[in-house]
Amino acid sequence: MKILQKSFFREPTIEVAKKLLGKFIVSKTPKGVIVGKIVETEAYLQNDPASHSFCGKTNRNSPMFDSAGTSYVYFTYGMYYCFNVVTNKKNIGEAVLIRAIEPIRGIELIKKNRKVPKNKDLTNGPAKLTLALGINKNFNGINLLDEKSPLKLMKDKVENFEIIETKRIGISKGCKMPYRFYAKISGKHQRDCTAVEAHNSH
DNA sequence: CGTAAGATGAAG
DNA sequence: TTCATCTTACGG
């Protein structure tokens, strides 16, 4: 496993969103290490009505304008956190939202963090995986490129898989943009896309 | 399936 | 002040 460098993130956001599929999130928690493979991402661009950065820099979204490889963790719906990686150049407010991962290591810890009946629901949503990995507002704005960081993005041997490109979900503005990407790997921990899209179009 | 949980920023 | 939101869990 090798840590991803700044050059990986300092590129057009859509490219980074695709490249992140199949890479790994490594979270060092007090109780042990948790590793997950990224299987679904979404790109959020500066010129994008659905992006927090669309109306310019605010106190909340300021990490998005920071340099590539910074984390952006936002609190939403009054109770959940979502985890993004800042991309592109400094002062461009763009990021990739991690929407789903597949548990690789530390599954017992994940189960402890997530008291849900079905294993399938452990990490198949942006706020679910932050709960599973123990990500909270303390992780907002930290540098993910440091070996010592409690949260890192790593790569392992290359796998072959298909990248599916679709519309984004869960938002009303800019939802027609094909900025959502997921990996067709094992399929076990994938979100049921047809069901979610039906819900969104309603 | 419908809805509550309730922080945040933008608009009024 | 009011409204919509990059969501999830739970009850019918």
Side-chain angles (χ1 to χ4, degrees), chain A residues 20 48 54 71-72 81 86 97 103 106 116 132 137 147 197-199:
Chain A
L20 273 172
D48 174 358
F54 182 62
S71 81
Y72 171 47
Y81 295 100
V86 175
L97 171 68
V116 285
K137 65 180 174 192
E147 284 288 348
E197 298 205 355
H199 170 263

Side-chain angles (χ1 to χ4, degrees), chain A residues 25 27 72-74 79-84 97-99 101 113-114 122-123 125-136 139 151:
Chain A
I25 303 187
S27 174
Y72 171 47
V73 176
Y74 64 87
M79 39 171 62
Y80 295 112
Y81 295 100
C82 294
F83 170 61
N84 303 246
L97 171 68
I98 310 298
R99 291 196 59 88
I101 61 174
N113 292 337
R114 306 261 313 120
L122 286 175
T123 55
K128 298 182 189 177
L129 68 91
T130 57
L131 289 171
L133 296 176
I135 297 175
N136 53 52
F139 290 73
L151 195 61

Side-chain angles (χ1 to χ4, degrees), chain A residues 8-182:
Chain A
F8 181 95
F9 302 103
R10 202 181 143 91
E11 285 202 37
T13 303
I14 290 179
E15 295 308 309
V16 181
K18 291 188 201 171
K19 285 196 301 181
L20 273 172
L21 295 173
K23 301 298 187 291
F24 298 86
I25 303 187
V26 178
S27 174
K28 265 187 271 179
T29 75
K31 296 195 175 155
V33 177
I34 301 175
V35 180
K37 185 196 288 179
I38 299 172
V39 294
E40 183 179 337
T41 62
E42 257 178 25
Y44 282 91
L45 308 190
Q46 174 77 82
N47 188 12
D48 174 358
S51 173
H52 286 170
S53 61
F54 182 62
C55 297
K57 197 168 175 176
T58 65
N59 193 43
R60 182 202 200 191
N61 68 22
S62 66
M64 289 185 80
F65 293 83
D66 225 318
S67 58
T70 304
S71 81
Y72 171 47
V73 176
Y74 64 87
F75 192 52
T76 190
Y77 293 103
M79 39 171 62
Y80 295 112
Y81 295 100
C82 294
F83 170 61
N84 303 246
V85 195
V86 175
T87 56
N88 219 316
K89 297 187 186 122
K90 198 177 161 84
N91 295 321
I92 297 180
E94 305 198 340
V96 173
L97 171 68
I98 310 298
R99 291 196 59 88
I101 61 174
E102 179 180 327
I104 301 292
R105 286 223 300 274
I107 297 182
E108 291 313 308
L109 292 173
I110 292 179
K111 283 186 183 161
K112 223 168 252 178
N113 292 337
R114 306 261 313 120
K115 296 190 197 303
V116 285
K118 292 183 216 141
N119 281 0
K120 196 189 158 207
D121 293 328
L122 286 175
T123 55
N124 64 343
K128 298 182 189 177
L129 68 91
T130 57
L131 289 171
L133 296 176
I135 297 175
N136 53 52
K137 65 180 174 192
N138 296 329
F139 290 73
N140 189 26
I142 66 169
N143 176 19
L144 303 169
L145 308 173
D146 191 339
E147 284 288 348
K148 296 187 293 270
S149 171
L151 195 61
K152 291 184 290 191
L153 294 160
M154 319 268 293
K155 68 175 168 185
D156 206 351
K157 62 176 189 329
V158 194
E159 277 183 289
N160 254 345
F161 56 86
E162 196 183 340
I163 294 179
I164 314 284
E165 186 173 306
T166 62
K167 291 176 290 194
R168 291 182 299 192
I169 55 180
I171 52 180
S172 59
K173 284 175 285 193
C175 52
K176 293 213 176 101
M177 321 282 247
Y179 291 164
R180 182 161 74 100
F181 309 97
Y182 61 93

